[in-house]
Amino acid sequence: MIAASIVSAAAMVALGILSLAFLLTVYRVVAGPTLPDRILALDMLVAIAIGFIAVIAIKTGFMLYIDIAIALGLVGFLATVAFARFVLTQAQSDASKQPPDGGGKGSESLHKKTRKHGRRQKGGR
């Protein structure tokens, strides 16, 4: 009798902690400054969902939920791999669009600074 109440209390505490982690991770998905941050937060959301499923399985005693959690883990892993491939192909396409001299705007501003410095040496403004 006392063991069941301890497991029930631990499940409630775990659900509270997972809820807080879920909210913080959703904030990171929305406010993540870069795409890899958002992808990592989505992967973390999958892990938190697996935690929810596991705690509910323990609380209810219905162990079929564990199989569902394993399937979700596999799908989450495949989604993470797909997102990683997307980020890599996007980075490669961005690198191929830039000129080999180091970029358009940065090299133009460097060229302007050099010309301006050259005029000062000749006595110009």
Side-chain angles (χ1 to χ4, degrees):
M1 173 108 174
I2 191 143
S5 63
I6 291 174
V7 170
S8 179
M12 293 305 288
V13 169
L15 287 175
I17 292 171
L18 284 170
S19 298
L20 180 65
F22 185 82
L23 291 174
L24 292 173
T25 306
V26 167
Y27 171 75
R28 178 51 58 197
V29 169
V30 173
T34 63
L35 182 62
D37 289 330
R38 289 186 171 105
I39 292 171
L40 187 64
L42 286 173
D43 192 35
M44 190 66 199
L45 281 177
V46 171
I48 293 170
I50 291 170
F52 272 119
I53 293 170
V55 170
I56 300 246
I58 291 170
K59 188 170 177 161
T60 62
F62 193 58
M63 291 300 149
L64 184 63
Y65 288 136
I66 300 298
D67 296 335
I68 295 169
I70 291 170
L72 180 61
L74 292 172
V75 171
F77 172 73
L78 291 176
T80 302
V81 170
F83 279 134
R85 285 188 59 108
F86 172 73
V87 168
L88 283 175
T89 56
Q90 186 180 16
Q92 289 173 352
S93 67
D94 288 345
S96 66
K97 288 180 184 177
Q98 291 180 350
D101 65 346
K105 292 183 179 179
S107 62
E108 288 175 9
S109 64
L110 180 64
H111 182 65
K112 288 178 183 178
K113 288 179 183 177
T114 307
R115 279 195 327 206
K116 192 182 268 188
H117 182 56
R119 280 190 225 146
R120 286 186 189 153
Q121 286 180 345
K122 294 179 185 176
R125 294 184 188 181

